[in-house]
């Protein structure tokens, strides 16, 4: 009896590979926020469908789980890598208070800082050239 060939051999490895492929996909194509919410809804539908005991759903559950982990990789990478830009117009003073030194590379030193301009406070990562 050939039951779930897809997840039979190494189920966690296959799901982790699907998750990693989702991360790479989001990194390459950078989907918009509306598509991300659509993927979240789709993943929730797949999660809910795994609890039903239908023969057809039972047969395709391993493939649906692979698709769900791919979608989770896309969504989590979107939320972890989203950058927020704050525009400061005109001649305003920005005060940076360095809170932590991060790992530097050959070109730049990296710092985590708390920045403040007028009445706005935000966290920032500063790249300062080593020269």
């Amino acid at each position: 009896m050939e039951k779930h060939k897809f997840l039979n051999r190494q189920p966690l490895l296959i799901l982790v590979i699907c998750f990693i492929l989702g991360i790479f996909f989001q990194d390459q194509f950078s989907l918009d926020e509306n598509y991300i919410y659509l993927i979240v809804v789709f993943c929730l539908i797949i999660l809910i469908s795994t609890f039903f005991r239908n023969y057809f759903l039972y047969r395709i559950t391993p493939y649906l789980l692979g698709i769900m982990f791919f979608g989770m990789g896309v969504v989590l990478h979107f939320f972890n890598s989203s950058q927020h830009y704050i525009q400061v117009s005109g001649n305003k003073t920005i005060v940076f208070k360095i809170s932590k030194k991060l790992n530097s590379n050959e070109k730049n030193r990296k710092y985590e800082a708390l920045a403040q301009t007028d009445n706005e406070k935000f966290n920032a990562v500063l790249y300062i050239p080593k020269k």
Side-chain angles (χ1 to χ4, degrees):
M1 185 172 182
E2 293 182 33
K3 178 175 104 172
H4 299 311
K5 281 176 139 180
F6 182 66
L7 291 177
N8 246 0
R9 299 178 192 259
Q10 297 291 331
L12 292 178
L13 176 65
I14 294 171
L15 292 177
V16 166
I17 289 172
C18 290
F19 183 79
I20 291 170
L21 288 175
I23 291 172
F24 285 141
F25 181 83
Q26 174 61 20
D27 201 39
Q28 288 295 317
F29 296 108
S30 296
L31 296 177
D32 190 33
E33 187 173 357
N34 295 331
Y35 291 114
I36 298 299
Y37 290 127
L38 186 66
I39 292 172
V40 167
V41 169
F42 190 68
C43 286
L44 285 174
I45 290 171
I46 290 174
L47 181 65
I48 292 169
S49 73
T50 59
F51 295 111
F52 293 121
R53 296 290 174 215
N54 185 343
Y55 177 73
F56 176 71
L57 287 176
Y58 175 74
R59 297 289 289 176
I60 65 168
T61 295
Y63 303 103
L64 290 177
L65 285 175
I67 293 169
M68 184 180 77
F69 273 77
F70 180 85
M72 286 174 32
V74 170
V75 169
L76 290 177
H77 184 63
F78 172 79
F79 286 118
N80 283 330
S81 67
S82 62
Q83 297 176 356
H84 305 285
Y85 296 101
I86 297 175
Q87 289 187 344
V88 179
S89 59
N91 263 347
K92 293 188 179 179
T93 303
I94 301 174
V95 178
F96 291 98
K97 181 180 179 185
I98 295 177
S99 59
K100 189 190 309 183
K101 183 176 185 205
L102 302 174
N103 291 337
S104 300
N105 57 26
E106 302 92 34
K107 296 179 183 178
N108 298 315
R109 289 189 178 100
K110 233 163 65 167
Y111 299 97
E112 185 178 303
L114 177 65
Q116 181 176 356
T117 176
D118 293 338
N119 58 355
E120 267 188 277
K121 288 184 180 181
F122 52 93
N123 290 327
V125 176
L126 297 176
Y127 290 94
I128 300 175
K130 284 190 175 180
K131 294 180 182 179

